[in-house]
Amino acid sequence: MMVGWRQSSAAASLQMTPVTILLFVWVFSWGHATAYLDIANMTELQKHVSFFDRNKDGIITPSETFEGYVALGCDVAFSRESASSVHAALGPKTSPVNAPLPQINIYIDQIHKGMHGSDTGAYDANGRFVPQKFEEIFIKHAKVRSDALTSLEVEELILSNRDPLDPQSWGGPVKEWGLSYKLSSDKDGFLHKDSIRGIYDASEFVKLEEKRRSSRSEM
């Protein structure tokens, strides 16, 4: 943004953020490749991202990701920027070869191709849940309570999993665990084991959306 340049109200209303551009391009694109998703045999990672597939067609568009973040209780600005960065990173990695350009949609059946390093290992290379690795999170880091993590323990977890040979992967866990803690920790600052487990398969996301919807209806 240029300092000292005063926009008219009309110009300001037309200002495009990165996610606005992504949404604009998607709306006027030629569509997308057909997705195949075996719902009965979805991996935990596929379940995790399917929360953002709002129309359940196996393909997540930028606008659906934006809607999903808002449904979880994130503010509009955060949701826009997150949708933009997520699709810029995962769209090209998960799109099939016949997907039209620009490849910004996320194809759930290929989501394992978008996995990053420096993680807990609770998803295997194919996105399947690994119970032993999940339990190790608490064995190694849950010191105040055996069934929950404090903010400091979450930070310790993130740092301990960093791959020194892959610094580009460091940012993902910071954002993911940071958002998980913000959305699901209790009033005493504990992120509970069952909540974390629910994040891995998106059942916690469903609860958060229902809680937000219920609170809004009571206002």
Side-chain angles (χ1 to χ4, degrees):
M1 184 172 66
M2 296 176 63
V3 178
W5 180 54
R6 185 174 183 180
Q7 294 176 305
S8 67
S9 59
S13 66
L14 293 175
Q15 185 179 15
M16 284 189 167
T17 64
V19 74
T20 306
I21 296 171
L22 279 175
L23 295 176
F24 181 85
V25 171
W26 174 76
V27 167
F28 290 97
S29 68
W30 289 100
H32 48 241
T34 302
Y36 171 76
L37 188 62
D38 185 359
I39 296 177
N41 295 297
M42 290 174 68
T43 66
E44 298 296 276
L45 180 57
Q46 288 173 339
K47 293 176 183 178
H48 172 83
V49 299
S50 286
F51 172 81
F52 296 92
D53 181 17
R54 309 302 281 181
N55 65 0
K56 304 306 177 187
D57 66 350
I59 301 170
I60 308 172
T61 65
S63 60
E64 286 181 304
T65 297
F66 170 79
E67 182 182 339
Y69 276 118
V70 172
L72 290 173
C74 301
D75 63 54
V76 170
F78 176 88
S79 299
R80 284 174 179 164
E81 293 305 315
S82 295
S84 177
S85 60
V86 166
H87 281 266
L90 298 182
K93 292 180 180 179
T94 65
S95 293
V97 293
N98 62 332
L101 296 174
Q103 295 177 334
I104 58 173
N105 293 329
I106 296 171
Y107 289 74
I108 295 175
D109 64 328
Q110 299 296 313
I111 190 60
H112 61 283
K113 295 181 179 179
M115 293 177 65
H116 56 72
S118 299
D119 211 339
T120 62
Y123 292 128
D124 69 12
N126 293 310
R128 294 172 298 208
F129 187 68
V130 184
Q132 180 182 353
K133 290 294 185 181
F134 178 73
E135 292 299 328
E136 284 180 6
I137 293 173
F138 302 92
I139 293 171
K140 293 179 179 179
H141 305 289
K143 299 169 183 175
V144 177
R145 288 184 52 164
S146 62
D147 63 345
L149 298 175
T150 65
S151 60
L152 290 177
E153 289 168 348
V154 169
E155 290 180 18
E156 178 188 272
L157 163 68
I158 294 169
L159 292 174
S160 69
N161 286 319
R162 281 186 173 175
D163 182 349
L165 300 179
D166 185 19
Q168 290 187 341
S169 68
W170 294 358
V174 172
K175 295 176 182 178
E176 293 159 3
W177 280 98
L179 181 59
S180 297
Y181 185 84
K182 179 179 179 181
L183 294 176
S184 296
S185 59
D186 66 16
K187 60 181 178 63
D188 296 316
F190 289 101
L191 179 58
H192 291 267
K193 186 176 184 178
D194 57 348
S195 296
I196 299 172
R197 179 64 183 89
I199 290 170
Y200 275 97
D201 66 4
S203 58
E204 176 72 2
F205 294 163
V206 174
K207 292 178 183 178
L208 289 170
E209 181 176 14
E210 291 175 348
K211 180 179 179 181
R212 180 173 179 269
R213 186 184 295 121
S214 176
S215 64
R216 288 173 64 89
S217 65
E218 294 173 359
M219 294 177 62

